[in-house]
């Protein structure tokens, strides 16, 4: 039986701790509950917002429709060979919990993605990535329910059109599907990825032999040392995507800014570090009443004052304008703004 709650307070359900309400809220812990919720929202002709851990959203105002919190749980091995194991997780599983479960069972490959907030179902939306690994490196397939037909469809790696913090679910299929499970293909033999500078440096200081479990611990340590934990300092992680520019654009920039970090991508493109540009533009540590730019990483905006989404977005806009003015590079928001 569907439990629809009116005027539901969302402050605890978004990691920026923005105090707004949903006109209606419900949870779906099964495919049947999901189908009922979709039917309800169609019947009442209301907008729908699908919610996971709320760590990549900015709530600009009260949500005028139904917030559907995905709670589908379960982790199971669905296939196994001598070298690999395919593990399927329900969309409502906490991402870091899933990583830990896999590590505890000696299934390797997710260690660099430790401690990313949020749930499994949102991981494909922006092809989560950290410390040199992205979801697409281990992804096998996902199941998703069409919001219009209610049918379940399977998406393989190619179908998802994963890119840098991007997927088909942010583009052609925006708001078309609700992801209900994700299957990853993991290794039975460790294959460590320690190329990312901060991780390489931390690993170099370890005397014992490195295991994936140890790599996960190092990633957690590095993250805790510079990224604010939303429970104590509300934030939504990186506020802007790292811009990817042409080689020509980069050549011009580096003539003026000799120490500008740059990471070559495919197709002669160069990824710039948005955090570095924001820092250079003088924003690191800036505080405007209850909203601030994090001191350890200027890419992260924090909301200790539990201010409105509007106020956070005003600061973001000022930062964006000053980066454009200084570098001629346009920054794009990473979290999704609702409504
Ligand atoms: P939500 O914020 O709940 O939702 C995000 C979007 O996905 C929304 O549009 C929502 O509608 C949609 N969505 C959620 N679940 C589903 C579903 N089941 N089906 C369809 N659509 C769905 N990201 C990285 O990539 N790398 C990092 O290292 C990283 N570090 C972070 C550190 C901090 C401190 C914070 C706060 C955030 C960080 N993030 C990072 C961003 C965020 O954690 C990820 O994007 C995460 O995948 C969001 O998951 P969520 O469940 O919280 O999604
Ligand atoms: P960092 O190490 O200070 O590096 C700053 C930026 O430079 C990062 O955004 C990273 O891009 C890029 N970078 C550094 N070394 C690189 C390399 N060898 N190759 C390619 N790109 C490189 O970053 P941080 O803030 O501490 O974050 C550490 C990791 O966690 C990063 O991978 C970051 O993406 C991830 N993270 C993501 C979020 C989020 O909300 N999306 C929040 C916190 C942390 P990439 O971002 O492409 O890696």
């Amino acid at each position: 039986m569907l439990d629809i709650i009116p005027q539901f307070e969302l402050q605890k359900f978004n990691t920026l701790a923005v105090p707004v309400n949903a006109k209606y809220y419900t949870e779906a812990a099964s495919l049947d509950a999901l189908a009922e919720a979709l039917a309800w929202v169609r019947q009442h002709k209301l907008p729908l917002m699908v919610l996971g851990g709320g760590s990549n959203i900015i709530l600009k105002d009260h949500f005028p429709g139904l917030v559907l919190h995905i709670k589908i749980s379960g982790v199971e091995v669905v296939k196994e060979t001598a070298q690999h194991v395919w593990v399927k997780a329900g969309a409502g599983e906490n991402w870091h919990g899933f990583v830990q479960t896999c590590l505890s069972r000696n299934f390797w490959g997710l260690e660099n993605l430790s401690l990313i907030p949020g749930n499994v179902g949102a991981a494909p939306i922006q092809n989560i990535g950290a410390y040199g690994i992205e979801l697409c490196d281990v992804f096998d397939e996902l199941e998703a329910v069409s919001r219009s037909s209610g049918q379940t469809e399977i998406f393989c790696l190619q179908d998802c059109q994963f890119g840098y913090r991007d997927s088909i679910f942010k583009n052609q299929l925006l708001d078309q599907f609700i992801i209900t499970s994700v299957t990853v293909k993991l290794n039975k033999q460790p294959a460590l990825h320690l190329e990312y500078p901060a991780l390489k440096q931390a690993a170099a200081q370890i005397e014992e032999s490195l295991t994936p479990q140890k790599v996960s611990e190092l990633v957690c340590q590095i993250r805790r040392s510079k990224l604010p934990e939303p429970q104590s300092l509300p934030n939504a992680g990186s506020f802007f995507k790292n811009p990817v520019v042409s080689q020509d654009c980069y050549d011009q920039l580096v003539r003026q800014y000799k120490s500008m970090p740059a990471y070559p991508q495919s197709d002669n493109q160069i990824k710039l570090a948005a955090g570095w540009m924001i820092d250079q533009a003088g924003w690191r540590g800036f505080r405007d009443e209850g909203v601030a730019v994090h001191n350890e990483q200027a890419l992260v905006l924090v909301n200790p004052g539990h201010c409105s989404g509007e106020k956070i977005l005003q600061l973001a806009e000022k930062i964006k304008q000053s980066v454009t003015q200084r570098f001629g590079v346009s920054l794009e928001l990473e979290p999704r703004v609702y409504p």
Side-chain angles (χ1 to χ4, degrees), residues 130-131 164-165 196-197 226-227 237-238 242 263 271 297 334:
Y131 301 94
Y164 178 61
R165 304 289 186 269
Y196 196 90
K226 69 182 293 195
L227 295 168
S238 306
N242 283 330
Y263 306 99
K271 184 181 79 183
Q297 169 53 290
E334 185 181 285

Side-chain angles (χ1 to χ4, degrees), residues 315-331:
L315 173 58
E317 186 54 35
K318 285 184 195 155
I319 293 172
K320 202 172 146 160
Q321 279 176 15
S322 88
V323 166
T324 306
Q325 218 165 29
R326 187 166 177 142
F327 299 99
V329 173
S330 178
L331 294 182

Side-chain angles (χ1 to χ4, degrees), residues 196-245:
Y196 196 90
L199 188 53
K200 198 175 181 175
Q201 206 181 354
Q205 283 160 21
I206 301 295
E207 286 177 4
E208 71 228 65
S209 64
L210 274 176
T211 60
Q213 187 67 52
K214 189 71 206 168
V215 171
S216 167
E217 284 167 24
L218 289 178
V219 167
C220 292
Q221 259 173 38
I222 303 167
R223 293 187 74 102
R224 289 195 174 107
S225 72
K226 69 182 293 195
L227 295 168
E229 303 244 21
Q231 297 86 331
S232 41
L233 193 46
N235 75 90
S238 306
F239 217 80
F240 300 98
K241 286 192 205 174
N242 283 330
V244 179
V245 300

Side-chain angles (χ1 to χ4, degrees), residues 150-325:
Q151 295 298 307
T152 293
E153 292 188 25
I154 292 178
F155 291 77
C156 69
L157 183 65
Q158 286 75 14
D159 298 331
C160 294
Q161 296 180 14
F162 287 126
Y164 178 61
R165 304 289 186 269
D166 203 20
S167 76
I168 195 165
F169 304 105
K170 278 189 160 190
N171 297 290
Q172 293 101 299
L173 296 185
L174 180 74
D175 290 341
Q176 302 295 305
F177 282 89
I178 300 177
I179 295 168
T180 53
S181 74
V182 176
T183 303
V184 292
K185 180 186 172 190
L186 301 177
N187 290 312
K188 289 186 171 175
Q189 294 303 316
L192 305 183
H193 292 277
L194 303 169
E195 304 79 21
Y196 196 90
L199 188 53
K200 198 175 181 175
Q201 206 181 354
Q205 283 160 21
I206 301 295
E207 286 177 4
E208 71 228 65
S209 64
L210 274 176
T211 60
Q213 187 67 52
K214 189 71 206 168
V215 171
S216 167
E217 284 167 24
L218 289 178
V219 167
C220 292
Q221 259 173 38
I222 303 167
R223 293 187 74 102
R224 289 195 174 107
S225 72
K226 69 182 293 195
L227 295 168
E229 303 244 21
Q231 297 86 331
S232 41
L233 193 46
N235 75 90
S238 306
F239 217 80
F240 300 98
K241 286 192 205 174
N242 283 330
V244 179
V245 300
S246 67
Q247 181 74 46
D248 282 354
C249 172
Y250 169 68
D251 290 344
Q252 280 183 25
L253 282 166
V254 80
R255 253 177 251 134
Q256 203 178 342
Y257 304 101
K258 302 263 180 299
S259 59
M260 180 173 227
Y263 306 99
Q265 308 290 288
S266 54
D267 306 338
N268 219 18
Q269 301 272 89
I270 307 285
K271 184 181 79 183
L272 305 176
W276 183 87
M277 290 191 278
I278 296 168
D279 191 0
Q280 292 294 305
W283 288 101
R284 182 145 63 98
F286 175 88
R287 193 179 168 121
D288 178 13
E289 294 168 30
V291 187
V293 179
H294 191 48
N295 215 22
E296 306 299 320
Q297 169 53 290
L299 194 50
V300 177
L301 301 195
V302 294
N303 188 23
H306 298 179
C307 297
S308 67
E310 190 71 65
K311 178 141 178 97
I312 302 167
L313 286 165
Q314 277 165 7
L315 173 58
E317 186 54 35
K318 285 184 195 155
I319 293 172
K320 202 172 146 160
Q321 279 176 15
S322 88
V323 166
T324 306
Q325 218 165 29

Side-chain angles (χ1 to χ4, degrees), residues 37-51:
L38 284 177
W40 189 89
V41 92
R42 259 196 304 273
Q43 187 195 345
H44 291 83
K45 296 190 173 53
L46 285 169
L48 173 68
M49 174 182 155
V50 179
L51 180 68

